[in-house]
Amino acid sequence: MISVPRPRRLRGGRVPGQDDPGGQETLPEEDVLRWWERAFGRGGSRLKRVAAAATRPLGMALFQGDADPPPRSRRLTFRTPRRLRPAIPFGSFSLVQVADVVLALVTFGQTVSLILAWNAEAARAHALNPVLAGPVSDLFAYLTAIGTSLPIALRDRWPLAAWRLAAMLLPVGVWVWTTVGDIRPPAATPAFSDYGPPYIFPTVLMYLLVVYSVAVRCDRRITLGIWFITVVAAWIIHPDSMAVVTVAVSVAMLFGYNVRMRRSATARLLEEERRSREAESAQAVLEERARIARELHDVVAHHMSVIAIQAEAVPLKARGDPAQLEAGLAEIRGLSLEAIAELRQVLGVLRDQDGRADTAPQPGLDRLEELLSNARAAGLAVLVERSGPIGLLPPAVGLSAYRIVQESLSNAMRHAPGATVTLDITRMRDQLRLRVANGPGTAPGSAPGGGQGLVGMRERAALLGGSLAAGPVESGGFEICATLPLTDDVENEQEAAP
């Protein structure tokens, strides 16, 4: 039997050991063990979670964490010349990396020369006073120089690896400094804290650059863990200089964290802008499709009206004459086939919010000269080349061809004023080809817009089953090539025409 303070009630509301008169309860040992597990089991889990949350930044900084990839677009990034690619393993390089490599080489040379000078001074002092420590091996001099210079060269691409390397080799530099950097007789050094800060300038510069890069490219938990490790290490190595080290490292990390937050905000803003442009482009496509559908709807409505009038007038005109009746029905059949062809080309008829639709007649290539005269009046030199007849085109094809030429000339007016424009229209058996090319303008044009005109032209060609390609040319102008298929019904009608 053992005695413990009054516990909480066990399951079932039972408080065992009520017979203890001294305010203590006498419990069997098994009941005490169960009570302890119930009382501190949950608290132990909470304590474990708190300890894990507190030590996780340290584990991420030392072993588990990784840095973010370098930014994709940089103003100071250039492609590696082809002649140097066999010697340089990277496809591109930045001036920041080149500057880091140069600084690393300078730091390496300064550190080696400084430690070798210390070794020479330590050798002279040891010769005069054998009690003093002699020079260290040159291997430690080069190892300290590597720990001071290599992290600088690695900090841009692998900042966290650079910090781990610096943290691993920093004790070597501290040991070298305490051995040959500050030579004093044993009686003059009663405590290690009486030494000056065991940090040479190249080491200080290296560490500040590395922690800055870590703060820019790593998670804030990793940054916090590195800050904590640095402060604790500074307190262990030289307590008198811990405050200065803490302030310097904190300032460098705050600058880096500020850059990281600004880059993150810029990246989010660019992503939102990209999504906005995609939404605007999708909305422009829908609006253009609605406009195209309304135009094609007008063409189809015209055919239906003509068919209705012909169906009513043919019986009255024929008056029992089989020949006239047959001719009238053939004409109605031709109009019906043409209307069906137009309906097949329409993916969907969209109406505006008010349910209204334009009923004005739509233009075709028969009004091409009017369009060209307006372009010439605006200052463009338009050269036209025709191959094959462009009459008797399907209304949808004629309308789309007219709109494509109109938009192309409008773009030339806006972006290349005074340019020479070549319009090539080729009529083949099964397709109509358009090519509109302009040279550089004689005066500066307006800035490029959102590109919705090209979107509309591509949609027009796609609705007819055709294609459209647009892009700049080597001479400095712009070229648009469109291919619009023709229906067999219209070709047959053209061949049958006298």
Side-chain angles (χ1 to χ4, degrees):
M1 305 291 289
I2 57 177
S3 297
V4 297
R6 181 182 296 274
R8 295 180 296 177
R9 291 181 178 272
L10 301 180
R11 290 184 179 179
R14 182 176 63 87
V15 180
Q18 298 282 352
D19 54 348
D20 186 9
Q24 299 279 331
E25 294 181 352
T26 303
L27 302 177
E29 185 175 357
E30 295 180 358
D31 290 345
V32 172
L33 294 177
R34 289 194 214 98
W35 170 80
W36 185 270
E37 182 180 356
R38 294 190 184 98
F40 294 96
R42 295 181 180 178
S45 300
R46 296 191 187 97
L47 183 61
K48 185 178 179 180
R49 289 195 296 270
V50 172
T55 57
R56 181 170 177 77
L58 303 180
M60 294 178 65
L62 294 173
F63 309 106
Q64 301 173 354
D66 197 4
D68 296 338
R72 293 182 179 179
S73 60
R74 289 185 174 181
R75 296 179 180 178
L76 302 179
T77 301
F78 303 94
R79 292 185 177 274
T80 304
R82 295 182 178 179
R83 298 179 180 178
L84 301 179
R85 287 181 183 177
I88 300 178
F90 303 107
S92 61
F93 67 94
S94 67
L95 294 183
V96 176
Q97 295 174 356
V98 174
D100 285 344
V101 172
V102 173
L103 181 60
L105 294 176
V106 173
T107 303
F108 181 86
Q110 287 184 347
T111 305
V112 170
S113 62
L114 180 62
I115 296 178
L116 292 180
W118 287 351
N119 271 341
E121 183 67 24
R124 288 192 295 268
H126 182 72
L128 297 176
N129 188 0
V131 178
L132 298 176
V136 299
S137 173
D138 292 344
L139 175 64
F140 292 102
Y142 289 103
L143 194 61
T144 303
I146 291 174
T148 304
S149 60
L150 188 56
I152 297 178
L154 300 179
R155 73 179 186 94
D156 187 70
R157 285 188 175 268
W158 303 286
L160 194 55
W163 177 83
R164 290 168 180 170
L165 179 63
M168 182 176 62
L169 296 180
L170 186 62
V172 178
V174 173
W175 177 79
V176 170
W177 185 92
T178 56
T179 303
V180 297
D182 192 2
I183 302 175
R184 302 181 187 181
T189 56
F192 178 75
S193 61
D194 291 339
Y195 284 94
Y199 315 114
I200 59 178
F201 177 74
T203 302
V204 174
L205 178 63
M206 175 273 298
Y207 200 82
L208 292 179
L209 290 176
V210 169
V211 295
Y212 168 81
S213 300
V214 167
V216 171
R217 296 266 301 283
C218 295
D219 186 80
R220 59 182 179 183
R221 292 174 294 179
I222 298 177
T223 304
L224 181 62
I226 291 177
W227 180 88
F228 181 79
I229 294 173
T230 302
V231 172
V232 173
W235 176 72
I236 294 174
I237 294 174
H238 194 261
D240 293 342
S241 63
M242 185 190 70
V244 177
V245 172
T246 302
V247 171
V249 172
S250 300
V251 170
M253 285 189 165
L254 286 176
F255 272 111
Y257 186 74
N258 182 41
V259 172
R260 178 180 177 83
M261 291 296 100
R262 292 180 63 181
R263 287 182 179 178
S264 300
T266 302
R268 289 194 297 268
L269 180 60
L270 292 177
E271 181 66 19
E272 292 296 330
E273 291 180 353
R274 184 186 65 81
R275 293 179 180 178
S276 299
R277 288 195 298 269
E278 290 180 354
E280 291 176 358
S281 179
Q283 182 65 25
V285 169
L286 293 177
E287 292 177 356
E288 186 65 20
R289 285 182 177 179
R291 189 164 68 90
I292 295 171
R294 287 196 296 268
E295 292 176 352
L296 294 180
H297 173 268
D298 296 338
V299 176
V300 175
H302 168 72
H303 288 300
M304 293 298 102
S305 300
V306 174
I307 290 173
I309 295 174
Q310 290 288 345
E312 183 179 359
V314 165
L316 299 177
K317 183 179 179 180
R319 294 187 181 274
D321 188 354
Q324 291 187 2
L325 181 60
E326 183 179 356
L329 293 177
E331 185 177 357
I332 293 176
R333 179 181 177 276
L335 292 173
S336 301
L337 293 177
E338 187 177 350
I340 292 173
E342 299 293 342
L343 286 174
R344 287 176 179 174
Q345 294 170 357
V346 180
L347 299 179
V349 177
L350 304 177
R351 303 176 66 87
D352 56 16
Q353 297 179 354
D354 299 331
R356 296 173 300 179
D358 295 333
T359 58
Q362 300 299 325
L365 289 183
D366 55 343
R367 296 174 57 183
L368 181 62
E369 293 299 328
E370 177 183 353
L371 186 63
L372 297 178
S373 62
N374 294 333
R376 293 189 179 102
L380 295 179
V382 185
L383 304 178
V384 183
E385 299 179 4
R386 295 183 178 90
S387 178
I390 60 174
L392 294 179
L393 290 174
V397 176
L399 172 61
S400 297
Y402 180 88
R403 295 301 188 194
I404 291 174
V405 174
Q406 183 183 40
E407 183 64 25
S408 302
L409 295 176
S410 299
N411 290 338
M413 294 178 193
R414 288 193 299 267
H415 307 304
T420 300
V421 181
T422 302
L423 172 60
D424 187 3
I425 304 176
T426 303
R427 170 71 179 270
M428 305 179 69
R429 179 176 180 81
D430 57 348
Q431 61 184 0
L432 177 69
R433 293 183 179 179
L434 300 174
R435 177 181 173 273
V436 185
N438 65 271
T442 58
S446 60
Q452 306 306 330
L454 294 177
V455 173
M457 289 191 285
R458 287 193 178 96
E459 286 296 320
R460 288 183 178 277
L463 282 176
L464 298 177
S467 61
L468 186 140
V473 295
E474 296 181 357
S475 60
F478 201 83
E479 183 182 61
I480 295 175
C481 297
T483 301
L484 306 178
L486 302 174
T487 60
D488 294 335
D489 294 336
V490 177
E491 294 292 336
N492 295 333
E493 290 180 5
Q494 182 184 5
E495 293 177 358

